[in-house]
């Protein structure tokens, strides 16, 4: 039996690759527990995780556990005060709710800048209940650990805070956690500036980005690579 090998022109191969690229660019959903201690995984004060590193098109799904919670977007310069963006409104979740609570979704549209959130219910923020996106942990002012430290300082009376509105604001309601959420894409934050903590966080971030595969490649880069491989094969 003779086997016939058909070699497609490089242009044809490139066209087929471009056609399937949209399916490779699937956005990820990062599930974040509100009212959950990230060190124990049980209900408590804070967010779990307290920091994530998404890219444009990804979404952050805040899931509220038992107690009162209100996730508000803030600013690095003024902890525990509204920044005029995302606001879930004040939510009261029945005691005993450790999963399946109300969820709110934040869409990531500019991953080039850090974004800060806090739990405005009661004094949760002043107890360290903050969450950050794409922060520079080497910065003394724009890092998540610096934002948390500034929030904790308010409890001692060394700062001021603003009482937020209890309206729903700009939150997007979601009835369930998206099925493509994965713990492998969640980056936990740190509350110190130690070298070991930053190294651990950096390695987690690298692993998460590596798991995206071709997603981080531009269409032009993928096509150029595959056309080159086809040319070598010919």
């Amino acid at each position: 039996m003779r086997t016939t090998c058909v070699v497609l022109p490089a242009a044809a191969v490139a066209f087929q690759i471009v056609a399937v690229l949209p399916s490779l660019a699937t956005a990820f959903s990062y599930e974040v527990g509100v009212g959950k201690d990230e060190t124990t995984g049980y209900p408590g004060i804070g967010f779990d995780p307290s920091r994530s590193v998404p890219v444009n098109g990804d979404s952050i799904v805040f899931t509220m556990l038992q107690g009162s919670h209100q996730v508000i977007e803030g600013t690095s310069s003024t902890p525990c005060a509204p920044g005029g963006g995302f606001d879930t409104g004040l939510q009261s979740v029945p005691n005993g709710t450790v999963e399946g609570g109300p969820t709110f979704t934040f869409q990531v549209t500019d991953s080039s800048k850090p974004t800060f959130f806090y739990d405005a219910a009661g004094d949760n923020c002043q107890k360290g209940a903050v969450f950050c996106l794409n922060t520079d942990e080497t910065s003394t002012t724009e890092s998540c650990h610096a934002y948390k430290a500034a929030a904790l300082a308010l409890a001692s009376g060394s700062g001021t805070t603003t009482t937020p509105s209890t309206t729903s604001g700009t939150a997007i309601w979601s009835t369930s956690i998206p099925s493509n959420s994965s713990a492998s894409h969640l980056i936990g934050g740190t509350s110190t500036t130690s070298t070991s903590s930053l190294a651990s966080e950096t390695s987690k971030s690298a692993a998460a980005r590596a798991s995206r595969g071709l997603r981080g490649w531009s269409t032009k880069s993928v096509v150029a690579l595959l056309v080159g491989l086809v040319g070598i094969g010919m």
Side-chain angles (χ1 to χ4, degrees):
M1 177 181 294
R2 185 173 63 179
T3 302
T4 301
C5 180
V6 178
V7 179
L8 295 176
V13 173
F15 176 80
Q16 293 180 20
I17 294 300
V18 171
V20 301
L21 280 178
S23 64
L24 298 176
T26 302
F28 286 94
S29 291
Y30 293 70
E31 183 178 344
V32 178
V34 184
K36 187 176 184 180
D37 187 331
E38 69 175 343
T39 62
T40 65
Y42 293 105
I45 301 295
F47 293 77
D48 182 24
S50 60
R51 179 176 181 267
S52 293
V53 188
V55 298
N56 290 346
D58 287 348
S59 58
I60 307 299
V61 181
F62 294 103
T63 302
M64 298 187 174
L65 279 67
Q66 63 184 29
S68 295
H69 305 289
Q70 182 175 3
V71 179
I72 294 180
E73 182 178 351
T75 62
S76 61
S77 60
T78 312
C80 303
F86 183 86
D87 185 345
T88 65
L90 183 63
Q91 306 294 318
S92 296
V93 185
N95 288 335
T97 302
V98 295
E99 61 180 15
T103 61
F104 296 84
T105 301
F106 174 81
Q107 299 294 338
V108 179
T109 58
D110 187 359
S111 59
S112 66
K113 67 176 183 179
T115 309
F116 302 87
F117 302 85
Y118 64 98
D119 188 346
D123 59 353
N124 287 344
C125 181
Q126 291 85 344
K127 291 181 178 179
V130 301
F131 173 73
C132 314
L133 297 179
N134 297 309
T135 50
D136 177 5
E137 293 308 294
T138 64
S139 171
T140 58
T141 57
E142 295 290 311
S143 63
C144 197
H145 63 265
Y147 185 61
K148 181 175 182 178
L152 290 170
L154 294 175
S156 62
S158 59
T160 59
T161 185
T162 302
T163 302
S165 166
T166 57
T167 58
S168 60
T170 57
I172 302 174
W173 179 256
S174 173
T175 57
S176 63
I177 299 299
S179 59
N180 64 342
S181 295
S182 172
S184 66
H185 302 304
L186 300 179
I187 310 301
T190 60
S191 58
T192 66
T193 56
S194 67
T195 302
S196 59
S197 295
L198 293 179
S200 175
E201 185 174 273
T202 300
S203 64
K204 290 179 182 179
S205 177
R209 291 193 180 282
S211 70
R212 298 178 185 275
L214 290 176
R215 180 178 175 182
W217 290 48
S218 67
T219 299
K220 183 177 180 180
S221 299
V222 174
V223 171
L225 174 63
L226 292 173
V227 168
L229 292 175
V230 171
I232 294 175
M234 296 176 62

